[in-house]
Amino acid sequence: MNKSMNAQAEPTKKSRAISNTFMRLLKLGKPYFGWYLILCILAAIVSLAAVGIAESLRRIINAATNKDLSSLISGAIIAIVIITVEASANFLKTYLSGVLEFKSTSKLQVSVLSRLLNVQMKDLDRYHSGDLISRINDSATAAQQGINQKTIDLFSNLMQITFLLTYLLSLQYALTLGMLLICSLVPLVMLPFSSRLRSMHEQRQHIETTQQMFIQDTVQGAEVVRTFSLAPKLQQQFTGRVMKYLKIHLPVSRLEAVAYNMPLAVILGGLLYVLSYGGYLVIHGRLDVGAVAAFLVCFEQIANPVSKLANLWTELQGSLAQGKRLFEVLDLQKEGVRRDSNGKDLHLGTSTNTNQAVSGLYPISFNNVGFGYGNDQVLTNVNLTIQPGKVTALAGPSGSGKSTLLQLILSSYEPNEGTIHSGNLLLNSIPHRSWRSNLAYVSQESYLFSGTLYENIAWGRPDATTEDIIAAAQSAGIHEFIMTTPHQYETFIGERGLTLSGGERQRLSIARAFVRKPKLLLLDEPTAALDSHNEEIIGQALQELMHDRTTVVVAHRLSTIRNADHIYYMEAGSIVEEGTHLELMDLKGKYYTMVETTLNNDDKTTAVMEEVQ
Ligand SMILES: Nc1ncnc2c1ncn2[C@@H]1O[C@H](COP(=O)(O)OP(=O)(O)OP(=O)(O)O)[C@@H](O)[C@H]1O
C-alpha cells in the first residue's frame, strides 16, 4: 500500500519540479521584458504582413482571372511594399533575438560561475570539474534558449496562427474550420512522445557530461597516460562510452524523427483537403479562385508555426532538463551564509570585532574540534592554540589530518564538532572574504593560472604596483629567473604553469604570498617538492616571510619543523604531542621516533651538527 502511495506521489512531485523549473526559467527573463516587448511587436508586424501578402495574392489572381490590369498592378505594388516591411521586420527580429540570446546567456553564465566561486567546498567536492564546465557552457545556453528563443517563438507562432485564421475565417469559415481541425491534430500526435523524450534527453545529457569528464581527465593526465602506456586501454574505454551514448542517442533520434515527421503527414493531408474542398466551393460559386490560392499560401503559413509549436514542446523538454541542472548549482548554499527557516540566505556582516579578529593580533584556538569530509572522521577532539606572531608547525605521518587542519583555518570547511575562535570571535561568524583578506596560503602545489608571470604574482594583491611585484619576486628568489625568460614579467606561462619547473612554480606561488603581505600565513610544506638547491634558495625567503608573522606550517622537513616556536604532532586526526623541537626530542615519544626513523639523512645530519654546536 505504501508502495502504491509512493508511486502516486512520485509523478506529482516530478510535475511540480518541472513547473517549478519552468517558472524559474521565466523569472530569469524578467530583466529583458523591454526586449521581449520589441520582439513581440516585430513578430506582430511579421504576422500581419503574412496576412497582407495572402490578401495581395488573392487580389492579383482574381485580377488576372478577371483580366483587370489596374487591379493587378495595384495588387503587385501593395505586395512589394508588404514584402519589404516583412523582410525588414524579420531581419530586425532575428538580429535582436541574437543579441538578447548573447546578453542573457552570458549574464546567466556569469551568475553560475560566481555562485560556483562562492559555494562551500564540501558541495564543490561532489562535482567533477568537467560536469561543472558543462553546466556553465551547455546547460546555461540551453536553459536560456528555452525561455528567450522558445517563448518568443511560441508567441510569434501563436500570433501568426491567430491573424491568419481570422483572415481566412472572413473568407470562408467552413473551409477554415476544417483546416483548423486538421492543424489541431498536429500537437495531439506529438503528445505521446513528449514525456518519454524529456526523460531520454536527461539521460543523454548525463552520458554526455560523463564523457566530457572522461575526455578532460584523459587530456589532463596526458603525462600519466604516456608513462604507463594507457592509450589503448583509454581508447577502448572511450569506445565503450561512445557505444553507451549511441545506445541512448539512436532511440532519441528515432523517436524525434517520428515525433517531428508525424505532423508533416497531417499537414499534407490538410493541403489535400484545402485543394479538394476549396475546388468544390469554387465549382459551386461559393469561393473565388484567388481565395483558394490565399488558403493554400496561408495553410503553409499556419502549418509551419503549428508544426513548430509541436516541435517547440519537445525542445522545451530539453531546455527544462538543462534548467534543472543549472538550478541545482544555483541553489548550492554560499559559504559564510546561514539560511533561515524559510530557506532565505542570511549574510554575515563585518564589524569592529571582525576587523580585530582578522588583524592577526589574536590567537587562533581550536576547542574540541572534530571534522570529517563525509562520514569518515578525519579530525577528532583537536585542541590547539596558534599564537600571534609565532610559527606553529604541524607534523605527523601522511594522512594524519595536517592539511585538513589548515583547510579549517582557511574556513574552506566548518568543523562538525567543537569551535574555532580568532580572539573571542567564532571563526564561522566572520565573513569569509574579510577573514581571507589578511591571509596567504601556499600549498604543496599551488595553482597557477594561464597568463603572464606578472599576473600570476599579482593575483596575490590586485592593487599591487610593479615595484611590489618585483620586490616580491626578488624575495621569493624568482626575479633572476624571470629576467631570463623571453618577455620577462610579461612571459606567458601555459595552463597551470606547466612550462615551468616544479621549483619555479613553487617560488612563483611564494612570490604571490609575499606580495599579499598577509597577517596570517599558512604554508603546506611549500619546499616539499624542491631539491636541496632550490630549497636553500627559498628557505631564507620563507624565513623572512614568516618573520614576526603568525604562521602555521605543515612540515615534513626537519629544517622547517625545528625552527618553529611550537610543534603539534598529529596522528590519525588527533594531536598526540606538543612542544618545541627540543622538548619533543627530550620526550622521546612519537615525534622523536619520527625524527629518528622517517626524516631524511641530510636533515638528521644537519640537526645533529646543530645540536652539537
Ligand atoms: N577533499 C577530501 N575529501 C575527502 N577526504 C579527504 C579530502 N581531503 C583529504 N581527505 C582525507 O582526509 C584524511 C587526512 O588528509 P590530509 O590531507 O589532511 O592529511 P595530511 O596529514 O595533510 O597528509 P599529507 O602529509 O600526506 O599531506 C586522509 O585520509 C584523506 O584521504
Side-chain angles (χ1 to χ4, degrees), residues 202-379:
E202 274 183 34
Q203 286 175 39
R204 188 173 62 177
Q205 177 60 42
H206 176 69
I207 296 174
E208 267 172 18
T209 306
T210 54
Q211 208 155 318
Q212 198 163 328
M213 297 189 299
F214 180 83
I215 294 171
Q216 196 174 327
D217 282 339
T218 311
V219 173
Q220 285 183 348
E223 196 181 289
V224 181
V225 171
R226 273 156 223 260
T227 317
F228 290 92
S229 306
L230 295 177
K233 195 171 163 50
L234 288 172
Q235 270 164 13
Q236 195 190 355
Q237 280 188 8
F238 190 62
T239 313
R241 283 168 185 272
V242 171
M243 296 314 291
K244 198 172 161 198
Y245 178 79
L246 273 183
K247 248 184 174 171
I248 182 86
H249 179 71
L250 292 181
V252 169
S253 303
R254 265 200 304 272
L255 209 62
E256 276 178 351
V258 178
Y260 291 159
N261 283 307
M262 291 277 276
L264 279 181
V266 179
I267 287 163
L268 281 176
L271 220 51
L272 195 68
Y273 161 79
V274 169
L275 273 173
S276 317
Y277 187 52
Y280 169 83
L281 291 172
V282 171
I283 290 169
H284 286 84
R286 286 163 60 193
L287 199 68
D288 52 57
V289 183
V292 176
F295 262 95
L296 280 179
V297 171
C298 288
F299 189 85
E300 220 246 305
Q301 308 250 15
I302 292 176
N304 253 342
V306 167
S307 115
K308 271 191 198 157
L309 274 186
N311 288 345
L312 215 64
W313 183 241
T314 22
E315 285 161 18
L316 200 63
Q317 306 300 316
S319 296
L320 285 178
Q322 298 284 8
K324 208 170 118 192
R325 276 165 53 76
L326 196 72
F327 290 129
E328 187 188 311
V329 172
L330 283 170
D331 287 345
L332 291 177
Q333 193 172 338
K334 280 187 182 174
E335 58 176 4
V337 174
R338 304 274 169 275
R339 280 194 174 152
D340 65 11
S341 50
N342 301 321
K344 267 195 146 187
D345 287 350
L346 302 168
H347 294 266
L348 301 172
T350 38
S351 63
T352 325
N353 281 351
T354 36
N355 289 337
Q356 281 173 358
V358 301
S359 66
L361 298 173
Y362 298 92
I364 298 168
S365 53
F366 278 56
N367 312 297
N368 301 322
V369 168
F371 175 76
Y373 290 100
N375 293 330
D376 294 336
Q377 192 80 359
V378 173
L379 297 178

Side-chain angles (χ1 to χ4, degrees), residues 538-553:
I538 61 168
Q540 192 60 35
L542 276 179
Q543 287 303 326
E544 192 192 316
L545 185 63
M546 290 194 250
H547 182 67
D548 263 354
R549 188 165 270 145
T550 314
T551 304
V552 186
V553 56

Side-chain angles (χ1 to χ4, degrees), residues 125 373 378 397-404 413 444 556:
D125 285 348
Y373 290 100
V378 173
S398 177
S400 55
K402 305 179 294 293
S403 305
T404 303
Y413 299 90
Q444 287 177 18
H556 292 286

